[in-house]
């Protein structure tokens, strides 16, 4: 997240900054820089009523903590990919070491009445490290990715320590009730925590609240951006280049959890089994690179590019390229405009904590003539967006049938489905999500409680996750 929130950072980082702006507070996290000699002392920048405090990482810390443990152990396990798990003792040690160092860097800046909100899988032991330093503040944790069932989670190195360290938080939030349930099952099975009430667990001497807080987007703002996006130069060029064909869109950071390879296969299956659609649709897949320094990601980058090339080679015609694969970021307004002009949004992750693209696609649609969302049942968003066409992303033929159905869906049905989903997105916004979590952390509301009232003092404190 840039210090002034000015670039095209994801909607979530911007929303968290918005929550901080309301009451003022401190934003602490990694600067995104790797330096020869990383100092424990944070660099501090004041922007209005928000203090940004950021620390750098050394190459060793980056390799072991971020590229290593976070992205090669935690990420695959939390996405149910035991086959991709890589265990390395140095990485595990590095993960806990960096969390300890980060806690020590933040400690001098903390006030006794600060509420602390820690985000994502990079910082699981953070509360426990702060507790060791003597802090009794209310500390909440939100996991942006799924939490798997105990048989999978228990393959994590230092599994027991993770569960115990999570006991340092007062509130632990997940995207879906299923993730929360999986986590509670882990605590009980390991004999580390016991249920003491609805959503409450006792871990040692601490009582923690565990609940589902599905993250939202800034729905109205996104819808407005999409309207503006229609006039965007790139969107207009895209519209012209379609020459009347329908657009199917996929937007995902390059990641194996997103099921891009399987999606290309499903699209190919759709064209083969529906020859009437040949030369009548274009599938645009926007996939910015991510984590290119992790070897599996580099390999995947090549594989997906090859797969889309091969598919185009076998399906395409002289005047028709079925798949347009773009391996870089497009601007925020252009993205919103592209969603709006698409007939189908193809969001088929093999596993996803939430998936904000699904929500953005819905928010961007024209109310009078909305496109159809085809959504994986394994995305957290499927809980709220159950009026989409839900699919099993592993089943290419079923996905192909879903694409055909989406393209042929009558206007009335499209409108009905869209209206229900849009209403939900208008209620469950990212602001409501922040409010509900913080109210729960502040003890002002029960789980799933009322939106939080503004506090008189500042001090809520998101610990920001590392860049994608
Ligand atoms: C993690 C969890 C959870 C993507 N390409 C471009 C672009 N994006 C933006 C999208 C969206 C964001 O990036 C991606 O968000 P997702 O939620 O879909 O996926 P992850 O990055 O994996 O996020 C996920 C999320 O955390 C929040 O809790 O939902 O499950 O994995 O906002 O629009 N934005 C622009 N150009 C692009 O090319 N401007």
């Amino acid at each position: 997240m840039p210090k002034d929130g000015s670039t095209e950072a994801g909607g979530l980082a911007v929303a968290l900054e918005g929550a901080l702006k309301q009451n003022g507070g401190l934003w602490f996290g990694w600067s995104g820089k790797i330096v020869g000699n990383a100092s424990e002392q944070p660099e501090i920048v004041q922007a209005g009523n928000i203090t940004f405090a950021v620390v750098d990482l050394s190459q060793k810390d980056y390799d072991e903590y971020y590229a290593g443990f976070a992205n090669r152990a935690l990420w695959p396990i939390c996405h149910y990919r035991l086959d991709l798990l890589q265990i390395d003792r140095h990485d595990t040690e590095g993960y806990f070491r960096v969390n300890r160092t980060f806690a020590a860097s933040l400690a001098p800046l903390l006030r006794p009445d600060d509420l602390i909100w820690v985000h994502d899988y990079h910082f699981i032991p953070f509360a426990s490290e702060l507790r060791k330093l003597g802090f009794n503040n209310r500390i909440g944790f939100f996991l942006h990715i799924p939490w798997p069932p105990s048989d999978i989670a228990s393959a994590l190195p230092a599994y027991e320590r993770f569960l115990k360290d999570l006991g340092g938080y007062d509130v632990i939030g997940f995207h879906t009730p299923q993730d929360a349930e999986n986590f509670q099952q882990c605590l009980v099975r390991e004999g580390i925590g016991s249920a003491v009430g609805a959503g409450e667990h006792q871990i040692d001497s601490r009582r923690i609240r565990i609940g589902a807080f599905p993250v939202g987007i800034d729905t109205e703002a996104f819808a407005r951006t999409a309207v503006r996006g229609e006039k965007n130069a790139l969107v207009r060029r895209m519209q012209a280049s379609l020459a009347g064909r329908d657009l199917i869109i996929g937007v995902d950071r390059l990641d194996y959890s997103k099921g891009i390879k399987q999606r290309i296969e499903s699209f190919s299956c759709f064209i083969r089994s529906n020859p009437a659609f040949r030369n009548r649709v274009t599938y645009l897949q926007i996939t910015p690179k991510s984590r290119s320094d992790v070897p599996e990601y580099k390999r995947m980058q090549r594989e997906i590019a090859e797969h889309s090339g091969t598919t185009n080679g076998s399906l395409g015609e002289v005047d028709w390229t079925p798949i347009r694969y773009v391996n870089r970021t497009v601007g925020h307004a252009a993205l919103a405009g592209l969603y709006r002009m698409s007939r189908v949004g193809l969001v088929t992750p093999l596993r996803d904590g939430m998936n904000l693209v699904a929500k953005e696609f819905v928010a961007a649609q024209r109310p009078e003539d909305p496109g159809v969302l085809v959504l994986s049942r394994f995305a957290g968003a499927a809980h709220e967006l159950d009026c989409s066409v839900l699919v099993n992303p592993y089943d290419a033929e079923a996905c192909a049938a879903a694409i055909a159905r989406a393209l042929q869906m009558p206007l009335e049905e499209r409108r009905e489905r869209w209206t229900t989903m849009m209403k939900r997105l208008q209620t469950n916004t990212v602001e409501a999500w922040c409010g509900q979590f913080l109210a729960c952390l502040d003890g002002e509301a029960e789980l799933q409680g009322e939106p939080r009232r503004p506090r008189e003092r500042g001090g809520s404190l998101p610990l920001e996750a590392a860049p994608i």
Side-chain angles (χ1 to χ4, degrees):
M1 170 76 188
K3 290 185 200 95
D4 59 0
S6 61
T7 72
E8 284 165 352
L12 181 65
V14 174
L16 285 172
E17 195 192 358
L20 263 184
K21 259 187 198 149
Q22 263 186 16
N23 306 296
L26 176 71
W27 176 293
F28 176 79
W30 176 35
S31 63
K33 283 190 243 159
I34 302 168
V35 297
N37 211 350
S39 158
E40 260 191 34
Q41 196 88 10
E43 182 198 335
I44 298 192
V45 176
Q46 193 67 36
N49 59 352
I50 306 180
T51 308
F52 287 91
V54 291
V55 280
D56 304 329
L57 285 177
S58 69
Q59 189 65 51
K60 177 179 158 73
D61 284 350
Y62 176 83
D63 291 344
E64 294 177 355
Y65 154 76
Y66 179 71
F69 195 82
N71 286 336
R72 298 170 87 170
L74 273 168
W75 181 272
I77 285 210
C78 288
H79 289 88
Y80 296 57
R81 291 298 300 269
L82 284 180
D83 57 318
L84 296 176
L85 166 67
Q86 291 191 32
I87 297 180
D88 180 307
R89 193 168 47 84
H90 297 106
D91 290 355
T92 313
E93 281 166 10
Y95 181 82
F96 287 101
R97 179 183 68 243
V98 170
N99 268 279
R100 196 161 49 245
T101 315
F102 272 29
S105 299
L106 174 63
L109 305 174
L110 278 180
R111 297 182 318 197
D113 63 349
D114 279 338
L115 272 187
I116 303 171
W117 191 6
V118 179
H119 287 266
D120 231 356
Y121 62 104
H122 314 85
F123 295 112
I124 292 174
F126 197 76
S128 157
E129 293 300 337
L130 283 179
R131 302 283 181 224
K132 284 181 206 155
L133 296 173
F135 289 96
N136 293 317
N137 302 51
R138 302 273 302 165
I139 313 180
F141 177 70
F142 187 81
L143 185 70
H144 288 266
I145 63 176
W147 185 274
S150 70
D151 274 350
I152 295 178
S154 57
L156 194 62
Y159 175 55
E160 236 182 83
R161 179 168 173 192
F162 270 102
L163 295 180
K164 284 190 176 146
D165 280 354
L166 279 158
Y169 291 100
D170 295 290
V171 177
I172 302 179
F174 299 90
H175 281 304
T176 67
Q178 190 190 331
D179 294 324
E181 201 182 300
N182 285 341
F183 177 62
Q184 293 177 34
Q185 186 199 51
C186 291
L187 290 177
V188 173
R189 274 219 192 162
E190 290 307 305
I192 286 172
S194 51
V196 285
E200 297 214 344
H201 274 67
Q202 189 80 27
I203 301 183
D204 293 331
S205 59
R206 298 182 53 81
R207 187 174 273 229
I208 60 170
R209 303 169 108 191
I210 299 166
F213 300 82
V215 70
I217 60 167
D218 188 344
T219 311
E220 299 302 343
F222 203 88
R224 282 195 301 274
T225 308
V227 173
R228 277 202 314 276
E230 282 184 312
K231 299 200 180 81
N232 180 280
L234 185 142
V235 175
R236 286 184 163 194
R237 283 205 312 275
M238 180 70 193
Q239 183 78 62
S241 74
L242 285 176
R245 295 185 188 93
D246 280 334
L247 183 61
I248 299 176
I249 193 167
V251 177
D252 314 76
R253 202 168 42 71
L254 185 67
D255 198 289
Y256 47 80
S257 63
K258 305 292 182 184
I260 303 170
K261 205 168 156 209
Q262 289 80 353
R263 193 179 309 161
I264 292 174
E265 204 42 54
S266 300
F267 175 75
S268 165
C269 179
F270 157 69
I271 294 293
R272 289 180 207 283
S273 48
N274 295 273
F277 279 101
R278 292 187 69 84
N279 213 340
R280 282 184 46 208
V281 290
T282 295
Y283 164 30
L284 170 65
Q285 177 64 47
I286 299 174
T287 301
K289 289 180 189 147
S290 86
R291 304 176 193 169
S292 303
D293 48 353
V294 178
E296 299 80 65
Y297 284 76
K298 212 179 258 175
R299 200 170 45 241
M300 187 176 34
Q301 200 168 304
R302 202 183 48 244
E303 274 173 15
I304 293 178
E306 278 174 12
H307 197 46
S308 64
T310 318
T311 309
N312 276 335
S314 68
L315 291 183
E317 287 165 23
V318 173
D319 61 345
W320 177 50
T321 307
I323 305 176
R324 298 194 198 172
Y325 177 60
V326 179
N327 209 190
R328 76 183 94 85
T329 310
V330 305
H332 183 62
L335 184 69
L338 290 170
Y339 286 141
R340 193 171 173 87
M341 65 180 277
S342 299
R343 184 47 62 220
V344 177
L346 215 42
V347 184
T348 56
L350 305 179
R351 189 64 61 175
D352 222 329
M354 173 55 64
N355 195 297
L356 299 179
V357 168
K359 295 191 167 184
E360 292 166 358
F361 177 82
V362 172
Q365 295 309 302
R366 295 188 184 100
E368 68 287 359
D369 185 17
V372 179
L373 176 65
V374 174
L375 178 62
S376 162
R377 57 182 298 167
F378 302 123
H383 284 258
E384 289 161 279
L385 303 181
D386 53 358
C387 289
S388 57
V389 176
L390 288 175
V391 291
N392 170 2
Y394 294 94
D395 185 341
E397 286 177 13
C399 288
I403 295 171
R405 184 167 168 224
L407 284 166
Q408 296 170 95
M409 192 177 282
L411 177 61
E412 198 182 331
E413 183 180 349
R414 283 192 273 130
R415 274 200 198 136
E416 247 171 54
R417 286 171 180 263
W418 178 80
T419 306
T420 311
M421 293 194 287
M422 188 63 175
K423 272 193 194 137
R424 225 164 264 168
L425 294 188
Q426 281 162 334
T427 312
N428 302 346
T429 59
V430 70
E431 203 186 343
W433 170 75
C434 280
Q436 276 157 11
F437 189 93
L438 289 173
C440 188
L441 180 59
D442 215 4
E444 288 173 7
E446 294 304 308
L447 286 169
Q448 302 298 326
E450 292 298 303
R452 180 180 133 86
R453 295 187 307 273
R455 287 160 69 87
E456 277 171 18
R457 57 186 160 75
S460 46
L461 204 155
L463 180 73
E464 216 240 315
I468 58 173

